[in-house]
Amino acid sequence: MAEAGGLRVCASSELVERGKGVVWDLLYCGREERAFALRFDGEVVAYLNRCAHVPTELDWQEGEFLDADRRFILCAVHGAVYSPKTGACLMGRCGRAGLIPVRVTEAEGEVHWYPAGALQALPPTSAPPHEP
């Protein structure tokens, strides 16, 4: 059973081993940003979609985060290389900085993320009034 307070990201089946990531919007320090989840070595991992070198999105196409060999997360703009398991910077101008992790769980065929600290859910959008 999923933990209380989790927000749905996707069905587990959407995350194929070392495949495309699933992207969603959230608030980081009060600003709308994107996060992503992907499956690596059987585990679901998630990070803020933001290079540690310069705050730009990592994917070169929507949901494409891994290098050609499907071994590392690669910043499409700067070429920084990150560990998919830890988010640590392995090579590039990110220095000791790494990716910002987003807490996720997988249960009952669903992936959920958990707002905490600087990472928060977007406020609910109000639907436009229905006109008869």
Side-chain angles (χ1 to χ4, degrees), residues 10-22 36-47 63 65-66 70-71 73 84-85 104-107 109-111:
C10 64
S12 294
S13 61
E14 291 181 57
L15 295 176
V16 177
E17 179 66 30
R18 297 186 188 213
K20 282 182 78 167
V22 171
F36 69 95
L38 47 87
R39 186 177 303 283
F40 194 86
D41 290 349
E43 300 289 323
V44 176
V45 295
Y47 300 100
F65 294 95
L66 298 176
R70 319 301 283 169
R71 294 177 50 209
I73 295 172
K85 288 186 176 186
V104 291
T105 60
E106 182 176 25
E110 301 251 313
V111 176

Side-chain angles (χ1 to χ4, degrees), residues 47-58:
Y47 300 100
L48 193 63
N49 187 2
R50 186 179 202 181
C51 182
H53 170 222
V54 174
T56 186
E57 291 188 355
L58 297 159

